Amino acid sequence: MNITDLLTRETMILNLQSTDKASVIDELVEKLDQAGRLNDRQQYKEAILAREAQSTTGIGEGIAIPHAKTGAVKIPAIAFGRSKEGIDYEALDGQPSHLFFMIAAPEGANDTHLETLSRLSSFLMDPGFRQKLDAAQTEEEVLAAINEMEQGEEEEEIEPETSSPKGKVLAVTACPTGIAHTYMAADALKAKAKEMGVDIKVETNGSSGIKNALTAQDIEEATAIIVAADKQVEMNRFKGKHVIQVPVAQGIRNSEQLITRALSQDAPIFKGDHSNASQEQGEEKKERTGGFYKHLMNGVSNMLPFVVGGGILIAISFIFGIHAAEPGHETYNPIAKALMDIGSGNAFNLMIPVLAGFIAMSIADRPGFAPGMVGGLMAFNGQAGFLGGLIAGFLAGYVVLGVKKALARLPQSLEGLKPVLLYPLFGILITGLIMMFVVIGPVKALNTGITTFLSGLGTGNLVLLGLLLGGMMAIDMGGPINKAAFTFGIAMIEAGNYAPHAAIMAGGMVPPLGLALATTIFRKKFTKQEQEAGKTCYVMGLSFITEGAIPFAAADPGRVIPAAVAGSAVAGALTMMFGIGLPAPHGGIFVFPIVQGSAWLYLLAVVIGALVTAFTVGLLKKEIK
């Protein structure tokens, strides 16, 4: 299949009207939708934004490749957009982007489609090809440039393998979607290695599977291995070798530096089973997510769908009456009971086991999942709550790592038994015993104490708690402090205390809403691009997406962050003062009708907080000349 089977005149915009990242995504999504390539425009856009949240697809050199693989795509397609002026797309090199390729891959895309899409990513590494795209006057000239590249690719001869005295370097590249960055990093590494006269072999972990897989002999002969990946790849095969681990974007941007480091073996020796973590130093350690936070967020992110879906169903059941799900009560309603059974009796019952299972899996890979799930279920049944689930996840993960280490010296003939028998047997047994006899009792008592303490707080203390929780949501806007507050709110919902999360969601809505109001009221203090971004912040704030304020905070942290914290803290305090409870953990303004207490007072708290942020920003910022 040719690239031009997916990129047609109907999916091209040679003169983009957009002036910022958000609007260029909208414009390209709209083009794909108009061309009949999408089933669900909004769902596809959300998938694109989710990919951007992981890391920017503005790769530098004036190129951005937003992409998603989702069921919202009807027909595999590529949309091409070009901006002569350039658009700030948060590119890795900080430069404006001019060429935009939006890739739409359906959930069930076959290997042919995926290989075609990834081939385009490889072509974009060629400066001459990019120049032709810049100079093209018509859609036909764009298609001709692509056809020329594809024909040249077919005529290339396979060069015989040679041995370089500099040594042999191996690499593995992988990105979350496995469509664009995976192959661009591979091509960048291969091109730079050829320029440096270095032998290299690159394995790609893309959507269509593993290509050019590294063999045991390759690994044995290698000077060092570069792992440029944003998702999990098989690592234990590199035990005993020097391994450099970086995000996939570094493979594209810093290929020469990585190859130089590999040749000089400037990297720790990988010991397997994640034991190399303590050896990470300097910049490489900064590039990787902190261990505890990474494992915690892996559990929380996988647990969140159960919490959100179940929580909203519980909240909807309350519309029929607080006791409408109780068969013996005079307000009993069978629909309310069904909603409560699904939300509370099933979705919420899975919340803690899923949290623990995915924390353990993040620590110990797949063998940690079963012990983590079992430990989490024991925490739930033993009334150890959210805290018990956290302990179970970390306990199970490190227990399995210990089991792996203890069984490492077993004969090679027993290797196949480890993952299917030995790891789950000893992992579940040891985790279960520790949870049963050491963890559950004390944690249950602690949970009961916390719940009793919060229930007994007077109005003044509750206001202080709301002030703290609301402010925490705005300090790093989606970072560890924000997530700590959010996680505490979920724990309180699970314990039946809905007030803290009401303050948390109000605090999280305020920063984007406050900045949106500021760009409207104090227009002269913001650039035209910031004014356009402010319009998007209205929607993001109403939807409880705190991250919408990040671009403003990054551009002017000294003024924006204190203003955001002040407004969020006020909103959180007012929510507590008004006696608002929120059984739904997400949803923004869309779940206001199902809050406990007055929805109008809840809205008032958010509005007041947003105004505090807006006017504080307006007072602190200077007019742009």
Side-chain angles (χ1 to χ4, degrees):
M1 175 177 284
N2 294 325
I3 292 171
T4 48
D5 293 327
L6 304 176
L7 174 63
T8 64
R9 295 180 74 259
E10 290 72 27
T11 58
M12 290 192 206
I13 307 174
L14 295 187
N15 293 293
L16 287 166
Q17 301 302 307
S18 304
T19 57
D20 57 36
K21 181 174 181 176
S23 57
V24 76
I25 288 175
D26 282 336
E27 195 170 346
L28 291 173
V29 170
E30 180 64 27
K31 192 66 174 175
L32 286 171
D33 192 41
Q34 289 176 353
R37 303 304 195 267
L38 305 178
N39 289 317
D40 188 321
R41 179 184 182 280
Q42 185 59 34
Q43 185 181 341
Y44 175 70
K45 179 184 173 182
E46 289 172 0
I48 288 286
L49 295 176
R51 173 63 186 87
E52 292 296 327
Q54 294 171 340
S55 62
T56 181
T57 58
I59 63 170
E61 305 292 348
I63 305 167
I65 312 182
H67 55 277
K69 183 180 177 185
T70 168
V73 176
K74 183 191 300 183
I75 302 170
I78 302 169
F80 170 62
R82 187 178 65 186
S83 170
K84 290 291 187 182
E85 294 77 17
I87 296 169
D88 181 4
Y89 202 85
E90 303 171 5
L92 295 172
D93 59 2
Q95 299 301 310
S97 297
H98 297 270
L99 303 176
F100 301 85
F101 285 89
M102 179 171 280
I103 296 174
E107 195 66 57
N110 59 38
D111 289 356
T112 303
H113 288 135
L114 294 171
E115 288 170 4
T116 304
L117 294 170
S118 63
R119 200 161 68 247
L120 170 65
S121 305
S122 301
F123 290 170
L124 288 169
M125 300 307 296
D126 185 332
F129 176 59
R130 299 198 299 269
Q131 289 174 4
K132 290 180 181 179
L133 296 179
D134 278 327
Q137 298 296 314
T138 65
E139 290 86 351
E140 286 73 15
E141 289 182 25
V142 172
L143 297 175
I146 294 172
N147 283 328
E148 184 180 340
M149 286 294 292
E150 293 198 298
Q151 290 170 7
E153 182 185 48
E154 292 171 2
E155 293 167 2
E156 283 183 359
E157 294 183 1
I158 299 174
E159 298 181 6
E161 288 190 11
T162 57
S163 179
S164 168
K166 294 183 179 180
K168 182 175 183 178
V169 175
L170 303 182
V172 179
T173 62
C175 70
T177 52
I179 296 174
H181 287 55
T182 298
Y183 301 97
M184 298 183 78
D187 285 343
L189 288 165
K190 287 188 285 187
K192 185 57 65 175
K194 184 176 181 180
E195 181 184 314
M196 297 169 67
V198 176
D199 286 347
I200 192 168
K201 180 176 179 180
V202 185
E203 172 187 295
T204 55
N205 286 227
S207 288
S208 56
I210 295 174
K211 303 292 184 184
N212 204 31
L214 304 180
T215 66
Q217 183 177 347
D218 290 330
I219 296 169
E220 180 65 29
E221 296 171 353
T223 304
I225 295 102
I226 300 166
V227 178
D230 287 338
K231 71 174 186 177
Q232 191 174 31
V233 298
E234 175 53 45
M235 292 294 296
N236 280 334
R237 53 186 166 154
F238 303 138
K239 187 176 180 180
K241 305 296 291 188
H242 292 275
V243 178
I244 301 169
Q245 297 187 67
V246 295
V248 68
Q250 296 298 322
I252 301 172
R253 303 296 309 156
N254 299 322
S255 52
E256 182 174 3
Q257 177 189 356
L258 293 174
I259 294 170
T260 302
R261 286 182 59 191
L263 292 174
S264 61
Q265 297 187 325
D266 177 18
I269 293 177
F270 187 77
K271 294 185 177 180
D273 295 336
H274 299 266
S275 58
N276 67 315
S278 62
Q279 299 183 37
E280 292 174 346
Q281 298 176 356
E283 291 303 313
E284 187 171 335
K285 184 173 182 180
K286 293 179 184 178
E287 288 167 352
R288 301 184 66 201
T289 309
F292 176 84
Y293 181 66
K294 172 187 172 184
H295 303 321
L296 174 62
M297 285 303 103
N298 192 59
V300 170
S301 63
N302 282 285
M303 173 197 70
L304 201 55
F306 296 88
V307 180
V308 173
I312 292 177
L313 288 174
I314 293 169
I316 293 172
S317 77
F318 289 148
I319 294 175
F320 296 91
I322 297 299
H323 301 287
E326 300 172 15
H329 198 271
E330 59 183 8
T331 61
Y332 171 71
N333 186 296
I335 297 177
K337 185 178 188 308
L339 293 170
M340 183 64 73
D341 287 347
I342 296 169
S344 178
N346 291 279
F348 259 39
N349 286 0
L350 287 170
M351 181 178 76
I352 292 174
V354 167
L355 169 74
F358 280 96
I359 289 175
M361 187 175 178
S362 178
I363 295 168
D365 296 328
R366 194 172 300 172
F369 185 68
M373 285 286 287
V374 171
L377 185 61
M378 292 179 70
F380 174 77
N381 289 333
Q383 299 179 359
F386 194 84
L387 180 58
L390 288 177
I391 294 172
F394 284 98
L395 172 65
Y398 289 111
V399 162
V400 172
L401 287 185
V403 170
K404 285 183 174 182
K405 189 171 184 180
L407 301 178
R409 296 181 180 274
L410 288 178
Q412 185 68 25
S413 58
L414 296 177
E415 197 67 30
L417 282 178
K418 289 180 181 178
V420 297
L421 175 62
L422 300 180
Y423 293 157
L425 172 61
F426 290 108
I428 291 172
L429 175 64
I430 297 170
T431 301
L433 289 173
I434 296 174
M435 288 295 297
M436 184 178 292
F437 295 109
V438 179
V439 174
I440 290 177
V443 174
K444 177 183 176 181
L446 179 61
N447 267 341
T448 303
I450 292 173
T451 303
T452 303
F453 172 74
L454 289 175
S455 300
L457 284 177
T459 302
N461 289 328
L462 282 173
V463 169
L464 288 176
L465 178 62
L467 193 82
L468 174 64
L469 293 174
M472 287 174 69
M473 292 298 290
I475 291 175
D476 55 359
M477 303 179 192
I481 297 174
N482 171 286
K483 289 294 188 291
F486 185 75
T487 302
F488 174 76
I490 292 175
M492 290 299 97
I493 288 177
E494 193 270 334
N497 190 329
Y498 302 133
H501 204 80
I504 287 163
M505 193 163 82
M509 293 173 68
V510 161
L513 287 175
L515 270 300
L517 285 171
T519 59
T520 302
I521 300 170
F522 305 101
R523 295 180 64 83
K524 294 182 179 180
K525 299 190 176 186
F526 296 90
T527 65
K528 184 171 181 58
Q529 182 178 345
E530 287 174 330
Q531 291 171 22
E532 291 299 317
K535 297 174 184 176
T536 307
C537 279
Y538 279 112
V539 177
M540 299 183 81
L542 293 173
S543 303
F544 183 41
I545 302 174
T546 315
E547 290 84 350
I550 288 177
F552 297 93
D556 192 0
R559 295 179 177 89
V560 170
I561 292 177
V565 171
S568 293
V570 167
L574 288 174
T575 297
M576 287 290 197
M577 185 183 297
F578 295 153
I580 308 298
L582 181 64
H586 213 292
I589 197 171
F590 305 104
V591 297
F592 275 33
I594 55 178
V595 300
Q596 294 182 356
S598 171
W600 292 109
L601 287 177
Y602 194 21
L603 179 61
L604 179 63
V606 173
V607 170
I608 291 174
L611 288 170
V612 168
T613 293
F615 280 96
T616 305
V617 168
L619 290 172
L620 294 177
K621 284 182 75 71
K622 298 178 181 179
E623 284 192 13
I624 294 175
K625 297 181 181 179

